[in-house]
Amino acid sequence: VQLQASGGGLVQAGESLRLSCAGSKFTLNNYAVAWFRQAPGKEREGVLCIDSNDVSINYAGSVKGRFSMSRDNTKNTVYLQMNSLKADDTAVYYCAARPWRCSREYYGMKFRGKGTLVTVSS
């Protein structure tokens, strides 16, 4: 069982980026999937979560109205669409999954993938 986050990179402030979280050897559609991030020198924080009913929960007020999540069950992938990126969004982004319902606790997630680095230049 594996989660693979991808899509990170270097962008300028104001630009958009879409991160992908792909499941391997299990089906994501019965799982809540959350994105967490850890900026340099800061603790890891929850960003957004989408539960198995596709209800999104926002954990980080700073991304409200700019970030959103979606699923593509045919690709067993969950996406984090990030618009109007700011320098403060610079972080390593991790995706994690647990059955059915969201958790804002990273270690409360059953499966946790390696991160992908997002760097936003101002």
Side-chain angles (χ1 to χ4, degrees):
V1 171
Q2 198 172 22
L3 281 175
Q4 181 65 52
S6 62
L10 172 63
V11 296
Q12 293 191 339
E15 294 184 340
S16 298
L17 204 59
R18 188 178 75 165
L19 305 184
S20 300
C21 177
S24 176
K25 299 182 180 178
F26 76 113
T27 305
L28 279 174
N29 62 335
N30 291 328
Y31 282 75
V33 179
W35 286 94
F36 298 82
R37 67 183 181 183
Q38 187 165 20
K42 296 186 178 180
E43 293 187 355
R44 185 182 288 117
E45 66 171 347
V47 180
L48 279 172
C49 184
I50 186 168
D51 70 13
S52 60
N53 292 318
D54 288 347
V55 175
S56 292
I57 300 173
N58 189 329
Y59 293 138
S62 63
V63 308
K64 189 175 182 179
R66 300 189 297 122
F67 290 13
S68 62
M69 290 185 67
S70 62
R71 293 180 184 267
D72 185 340
N73 290 332
T74 65
K75 297 181 179 179
N76 204 31
T77 299
V78 173
Y79 301 101
L80 177 66
Q81 179 67 43
M82 305 186 294
N83 298 328
S84 302
L85 282 161
K86 304 175 181 179
D88 286 346
D89 296 318
T90 295
V92 177
Y93 285 73
Y94 302 86
C95 65
R98 71 193 296 263
W100 307 114
R101 294 188 295 179
C102 290
S103 171
R104 69 185 308 153
E105 299 297 327
Y106 181 71
Y107 290 105
M109 307 299 283
K110 184 175 182 179
F111 303 121
R112 299 179 292 274
K114 294 182 180 179
T116 185
L117 176 63
V118 173
T119 304
V120 184
S121 64
S122 57

